[in-house]
Amino acid sequence: GENVEQHPSTLSVQEGDSAVIKCTYSDSASNYFPWYKQELGKGPQLIIDIRSNVGEKKDQRIAVTLNKTAKHFSLHITETQPEDSAVYFCAASGPRDGGTSYGKLTFGQGTILTVHP
Amino acid sequence: ETGVTQSPTHLIKTRGQQVTLRCSSQSGHNTVSWYQQALGQGPQFIFQYYREEENGRGNFPPRFSGLQFPNYSSELNVNALELDDSALYLCASSYQGAGELFFGEGSRLTVL
């Protein structure tokens, strides 16, 4: 099955700096790669996702890049703010059965991001 | 638009007991997935329900079972609880083929 590795496990930055979190996956059939933000006591919230036919996607201060050849993808947060502090998870899934497999995500172990004012 | 809601938010059980967790999917969503999140870990896929049938299962034993109802809401049942079942149980809904999963706040289960 799919295996997703995420690094680093903790990341501390100063407000205004950039933050980068990297993930690798094992299954070359995976084609959907979402990123989730989880705040304390809450469920994961989708912040951005990318599909395998795209190499990069941006949404304001957040961007994701995908290298299918190397089987890795990264989250980039620019101009970090204290409210960006949370646990971030990458995930992967693939089209194994009729389009409903997107619900079967394999998650990384998470990155605790701390943004210091 | 109503988001994914889960109940109860917290519960405490003893080893060997049974538990039922409930989830109402987001309006317009017909697929429900359940995840187990141990402390400090990423969520792990338990199973998914689509059209009231189990549609894929992760590496969880048969004592983890579920249901989906005609209104797309869902239940997760765990029998013969073990200490290691202590975790946050997350429900997520989606629309077939849409890709995006929307998670609820979770049910925190503690097994003593």
Side-chain angles (χ1 to χ4, degrees):
Chain A
E2 175 67 278
N3 182 51
V4 176
E5 298 287 337
Q6 182 172 347
H7 300 281
S9 56
T10 61
L11 181 58
S12 182
V13 300
Q14 290 297 125
E15 183 176 1
D17 287 349
S18 295
V20 180
I21 302 171
K22 299 181 179 182
C23 290
T24 60
Y25 62 98
S26 61
D27 189 347
S28 57
S30 290
N31 64 353
Y32 176 63
F33 307 93
W35 286 87
Y36 285 85
K37 176 184 181 182
Q38 187 172 27
E39 297 175 332
L40 198 61
K42 297 193 173 184
Q45 179 186 12
L46 178 70
I47 56 172
I48 195 168
D49 57 10
I50 192 168
R51 299 176 197 272
S52 59
N53 57 345
V54 175
E56 183 176 4
K57 183 177 179 180
K58 287 184 179 180
D59 182 4
Q60 300 182 348
R61 297 186 296 109
I62 294 173
V64 57
T65 58
L66 171 64
N67 183 326
K68 284 219 73 177
T69 303
K71 290 191 281 188
H72 66 71
F73 57 113
S74 301
L75 177 71
H76 304 253
I77 306 174
T78 59
E79 301 173 21
T80 54
Q81 302 166 3
E83 50 265 40
D84 293 331
S85 296
V87 182
Y88 290 80
F89 291 98
C90 63
S93 75
R96 297 199 178 281
D97 53 352
T100 60
S101 68
Y102 289 138
K104 305 168 191 174
L105 295 173
T106 299
F107 282 83
Q109 293 294 89
T111 296
I112 302 172
L113 173 64
T114 304
V115 181
H116 299 281
Chain B
E1 184 177 86
T2 307
V4 177
T5 58
Q6 293 187 241
S7 63
T9 55
H10 295 83
L11 69 166
I12 300 173
K13 293 285 187 177
T14 56
R15 195 170 47 182
Q17 284 189 314
Q18 176 266 343
V19 67
T20 297
L21 308 178
R22 296 177 175 83
C23 171
S24 293
S25 61
Q26 183 165 313
S27 176
H29 287 180
N30 59 8
T31 304
V32 173
S33 303
W34 285 92
Y35 286 79
Q36 181 194 65
Q37 186 177 24
L39 201 61
Q41 303 292 318
Q44 281 198 299
F45 175 71
I46 302 175
F47 43 54
Q48 180 186 78
Y49 276 83
Y50 171 65
R51 291 182 176 175
E52 301 178 49
E53 292 189 357
E54 187 179 291
N55 177 40
R57 187 180 187 93
N59 189 26
F60 282 83
R63 58 189 185 84
F64 286 78
S65 63
L67 287 172
Q68 186 181 33
F69 300 99
N71 67 352
Y72 307 125
S73 66
S74 178
E75 287 182 354
L76 165 66
N77 299 288
V78 186
N79 294 322
L81 285 168
E82 301 176 359
L83 298 180
D84 285 348
D85 295 333
S86 295
L88 180 68
Y89 287 85
L90 295 163
C91 170
S93 74
S94 60
Y95 182 75
Q96 179 194 5
E100 296 88 348
L101 280 191
F102 294 88
F103 283 87
E105 303 286 78
S107 293
R108 172 74 63 186
L109 171 65
T110 302
V111 182
L112 302 176

